[in-house]
Amino acid sequence: MRKLPILLFIFSLLNLNAANAQRDDVGNYEYDKEYLFGLNKNTNGGLIGGFVFKAGTRIDDSQFSFWGVELSNVKNQKETRYNTVLGNSYIFGKSNYLYAIRPHYGREVILFKKAPNQGVQVSALAAVGPSLGLIAPYYIEYALNRLETVTEQYDPEVHQSRFNILGTGRLFQGLGESELAIGAHVKAALMFEFGVFRSSATGLELGYMLEGYSKEIPLIPTAENNQIFQSAYFTFYYGFRK
């Protein structure tokens, strides 16, 4: 029992030090490096459009340079998902996936800095870089008759009845058979950064992206396919700074 006051005193000192350290971080937004991870939603993607990593470096009080990489699944606007008699789902008419790998470099300019302990920091940014498109076959499970099924890439000349489609292939099946398409992309956006502490960052990026490839990407053979894609997007970011 005699040790209890000593333990309480030590615990109080630790809490006081932690509180002081936390207060030093509140309202102090000066940082030289930032590393952000994000989830993307865009008009050419699904529920989750892609994943993003971004690293920034301070140039001066209002400018940052950054590089990053984005992984995204690009879809055709005509894609429609159906359910099968087995409860599975598939996209009728889809013959290929397009997985886009987008390394990029850009600049960010701070338009409005946040006030101490409140507000939102608003920045404008632009980036450009190459696009590496992996065109992977879209596999379906197709019933030839009541007893026999095959799993193969969708072909509109062969798989003419959507009622014979029982589902899709395995996750990432056919990725090793991908063709490569080379292209480039450019994007412009506004970044809204929330949060109280300098050492962590939470933000939302709203922007527009234009992307083009050296050839047309046959996602749906029976529909209009493109080699130039444009999309509006938003990305939720979380990361840390120092």
Side-chain angles (χ1 to χ4, degrees), residues 29-240:
Y29 304 119
E30 297 300 321
Y31 55 92
D32 295 316
K33 301 280 187 179
E34 67 177 1
Y35 304 93
L36 304 176
F37 302 87
L39 288 177
N40 174 274
K41 170 69 175 177
N42 63 77
T43 52
N44 286 334
L47 180 62
I48 297 179
F51 303 92
V52 185
F53 172 75
K54 174 182 171 184
T57 303
R58 176 185 294 277
I59 298 175
D60 55 35
D61 287 343
S62 61
Q63 290 191 70
F64 284 80
S65 66
F66 65 87
W67 65 269
V69 62
E70 180 176 341
L71 307 177
S72 184
N73 178 19
V74 182
K75 296 188 174 184
N76 187 298
Q77 297 291 337
K78 299 296 185 179
E79 292 186 13
T80 303
R81 187 169 291 276
Y82 296 91
N83 292 322
T84 72
V85 294
L86 300 180
N88 302 319
S89 64
Y90 67 97
I91 300 170
F92 183 69
K94 186 177 180 70
S95 183
N96 290 290
Y97 290 104
L98 173 58
Y99 298 111
I101 305 171
R102 305 184 183 114
H104 53 263
Y105 174 82
R107 293 292 181 93
E108 178 178 346
V109 178
I110 299 176
L111 303 178
F112 302 101
K113 291 186 177 182
K114 65 173 64 177
N117 304 328
Q118 63 181 354
V120 178
Q121 178 173 289
V122 182
S123 303
L125 61 89
V128 63
S131 292
L132 305 177
L134 298 180
I135 307 172
Y138 181 77
Y139 276 79
I140 60 168
E141 184 181 1
Y142 193 80
L144 300 177
N145 50 56
R146 292 186 177 182
L147 300 176
E148 187 178 4
T149 64
V150 294
T151 301
E152 55 193 8
Q153 183 181 12
Y154 172 79
D155 184 338
E157 298 296 328
V158 176
H159 312 110
Q160 297 184 356
S161 173
R162 70 180 183 88
F163 299 103
N164 285 28
I165 299 177
L166 304 179
T168 60
R170 302 185 305 274
L171 184 65
F172 300 125
Q173 184 176 3
L175 191 61
E177 305 167 43
S178 300
E179 297 180 13
L180 182 63
I182 304 297
H185 70 278
V186 61
K187 67 177 180 177
L190 289 176
M191 177 78 169
F192 301 88
E193 195 273 311
F194 314 96
V196 177
F197 302 107
R198 176 189 60 184
S199 58
S200 62
T202 304
L204 174 65
E205 181 179 312
L206 303 176
Y208 168 83
M209 176 180 291
L210 181 65
E211 181 174 49
Y213 289 94
S214 58
K215 61 182 179 180
E216 186 178 282
I217 311 297
L219 299 179
I220 300 180
T222 57
E224 181 181 357
N225 291 282
N226 303 305
Q227 65 184 97
I228 296 177
F229 299 86
Q230 55 181 336
S231 64
Y233 72 90
F234 62 86
T235 302
F236 288 104
Y237 280 106
Y238 179 78
F240 58 92

